[in-house]
Amino acid sequence: MFHPENNDAYKGLVVNAGIEQPSSVNPYLKRKHHKRQLTVSEYVDGILRGDVTVLSQAVTLVESIRPEHQAVAQEVIEKCLPYSGASIRVGISGVPGAGKSTSIDVFGLHVLEQYGGKLAVLAIDPSSERSKGSILGDKTRMERLAVHPKSFIRPSPSAGSLGGVARKTRETIVLCEAAGFDKIFVETVGVGQSETAVHSMVDFFLLIQLAGTGDELQGIKRGIMEMADGIVINKADGDNLERARLAANQFRNALHLFPAPESGWTPQVLTYSGFYNLGVKEIWDMVYSYIDFVKANGYFDYRRNEQSKYWMYETINEHLRDSFYHNPRIETMLADKEAQVLQGGLTSFVAAKELLDTYFGELREKENNGNL
């Protein structure tokens, strides 16, 4: 290729080298040093004085899967436990699109204005089965509650846990109560018939429904409706008002097919509009009537004790599962067994039995050697 600048006729041409380009990194940028992790006493002191920043950091610690974080988190929870238990815990569930987050914005403002105190909202967002990520966008629908000085909203990923609630939600409730929040809302992901784990960590389970999502047949199905202490039909406004009233009557008929609840309380079905803030007072009159009712007959304390027992067994199951999968010998065997199952050389049941036999055999060996 011919380059005219190399021709003798252009010998007098001077080409400047150009301006030196600045570095792509801002020289004035001061890199932030990682903040040191607080001590257990610093976490506890911050939580007990109601510092939401420290509370948020403690919740992050609880949700962490790192063993060193878990050890600190358990100490914090243990020291906060004596200061917990004085709140009213309300679980809010419903089908996707029922208006749970929008309703919580209205519910929360009503509760804070009418009953005072402080409100913590634990919103559980579904995690992707593919990317394992979560949007954590429920807070965007709680515009007014998010800026209220007496509220604390914490979105958390479900992280693959069943039941529409995060595995660590129960422990987060303890921290929020120790921080002085006397009202706790637990918003689950959009759930189906069988996902009822939220029932095992709240005092009142509120199920939000829409018109046209069920009929008397739902009363035969044992699932989420059976767990509900109250059912509310959202979007009862405008042209949808009559349909909402019809749906409420259908759900009332369905509830008659259930056996009587242990609490002795008869679940109520109400209609409301979260968008137009209609019927909200009646819902919270129902919730507080229920709380008074079960405290008077002793079921409130009984249910709290039963929930503690339930979560003891759940914690045992979780630790056994973690111990199994983090066992070095099992970790090396898993890939081989998985390959054999995929190639058809081994059934999944035989592979599982061999892995479990290896795991328990190693435990017995350690016990015999005095290492346990």
Side-chain angles (χ1 to χ4, degrees):
M1 181 181 291
F2 175 69
H3 294 280
E5 66 273 16
N6 296 329
N7 193 297
D8 291 341
Y10 298 100
K11 283 185 177 179
L13 181 66
V14 178
V15 180
N16 292 327
I19 301 173
E20 183 180 356
Q21 295 299 313
S23 170
S24 59
V25 178
N26 186 349
Y28 300 103
L29 178 66
K30 293 182 179 180
R31 296 186 181 277
K32 292 184 178 180
H33 297 286
H34 290 292
K35 293 175 65 176
R36 70 174 183 85
Q37 183 176 307
L38 302 178
T39 63
V40 171
S41 60
E42 287 173 331
Y43 275 120
V44 174
D45 291 342
I47 290 170
L48 294 182
R49 69 171 180 266
D51 189 327
V52 293
T53 302
V54 177
L55 174 61
S56 298
Q57 293 173 352
V59 174
T60 301
L61 203 68
V62 167
E63 293 176 348
S64 173
I65 59 173
R66 295 178 63 176
E68 60 270 27
H69 288 172
Q70 279 298 299
V72 176
Q74 291 308 313
E75 281 192 66
V76 173
I77 292 167
E78 187 177 344
K79 292 184 182 299
C80 287
L81 202 56
Y83 304 95
S84 67
S87 74
I88 294 174
R89 308 166 184 170
V90 179
I92 300 175
S93 188
V95 295
K100 295 186 294 297
S101 299
T102 304
S103 296
I104 287 175
D105 191 38
V106 177
F107 291 165
L109 290 174
H110 175 81
V111 168
L112 290 172
E113 289 170 3
Q114 297 299 318
Y115 299 95
K118 297 168 66 179
L119 169 68
V121 179
L122 308 179
I124 314 304
D125 207 42
S127 298
S128 169
E129 289 294 323
R130 297 181 179 179
S131 67
K132 309 302 180 185
S134 296
I135 296 176
L136 302 179
D138 291 326
K139 193 174 179 179
T140 60
R141 299 193 188 97
M142 307 176 194
E143 296 178 356
R144 292 172 295 172
L145 194 59
V147 296
H148 198 286
K150 296 294 184 180
S151 72
F152 170 71
I153 303 174
R154 174 70 186 210
S156 298
S158 61
S161 61
L162 297 176
V165 292
R167 270 189 279 175
K168 303 300 181 182
T169 305
R170 167 76 175 174
E171 294 169 341
T172 303
I173 289 174
V174 172
L175 299 182
C176 290
E177 290 176 341
F181 291 92
D182 58 346
K183 299 166 189 66
I184 311 287
F185 288 178
V186 180
E187 180 200 356
T188 74
V189 302
V191 297
Q193 279 279 13
S194 62
E195 299 180 358
T196 56
V198 68
H199 182 260
S200 63
M201 63 175 70
V202 297
D203 304 314
F204 187 94
F205 185 25
L206 184 67
L207 178 61
I208 298 178
Q209 292 280 26
L210 295 173
T213 59
D215 51 24
E216 288 87 343
L217 180 61
Q218 298 299 329
I220 302 172
K221 299 178 181 178
R222 295 298 180 254
I224 197 166
M225 279 186 61
E226 192 178 23
M227 302 288 108
D229 299 304
I231 298 175
V232 291
I233 314 296
N234 193 14
K235 305 183 182 178
D237 51 58
D239 296 337
N240 202 45
L241 183 58
E242 285 304 317
R243 286 191 290 270
R245 288 174 177 169
L246 176 62
N249 287 330
Q250 290 176 333
F251 280 115
R252 288 188 191 102
N253 293 335
L255 289 174
H256 288 307
L257 300 173
F258 292 137
E262 284 185 283
S263 63
W265 168 264
T266 302
Q268 299 179 25
V269 182
L270 302 176
T271 60
Y272 79 108
S273 171
F275 187 79
Y276 291 103
N277 196 10
L278 301 173
V280 173
K281 179 183 182 300
E282 288 75 11
I283 291 174
W284 288 98
D285 287 346
M286 171 185 67
V287 173
Y288 278 89
S289 294
Y290 170 86
I291 298 297
D292 292 340
F293 179 82
V294 294
K295 281 187 175 180
N297 67 12
Y299 182 75
F300 185 89
D301 293 328
Y302 168 78
R303 184 166 173 174
R304 285 273 179 106
N305 291 333
E306 287 295 304
Q307 289 174 349
S308 297
K309 183 176 73 174
Y310 171 85
W311 286 104
M312 179 188 76
Y313 286 110
E314 284 296 304
T315 304
I316 291 171
N317 293 337
E318 183 179 343
H319 280 282
L320 286 174
R321 184 168 55 249
D322 289 344
S323 174
F324 176 81
Y325 284 110
H326 289 100
N327 184 290
R329 193 169 173 186
I330 296 299
E331 286 179 339
T332 57
M333 289 179 63
L334 268 175
D336 178 54
K337 296 298 179 186
E338 183 180 315
Q340 291 183 48
V341 170
L342 292 174
Q343 293 167 6
L346 204 62
T347 69
S348 55
F349 305 104
V350 172
K353 187 176 184 307
E354 290 179 1
L355 287 165
L356 288 169
D357 287 344
T358 302
Y359 174 73
F360 288 118
E362 187 172 300
L363 288 181
R364 284 191 293 269
E365 185 179 331
K366 286 182 178 179
E367 185 178 4
N368 294 332
N369 293 334
N371 293 331
L372 285 181

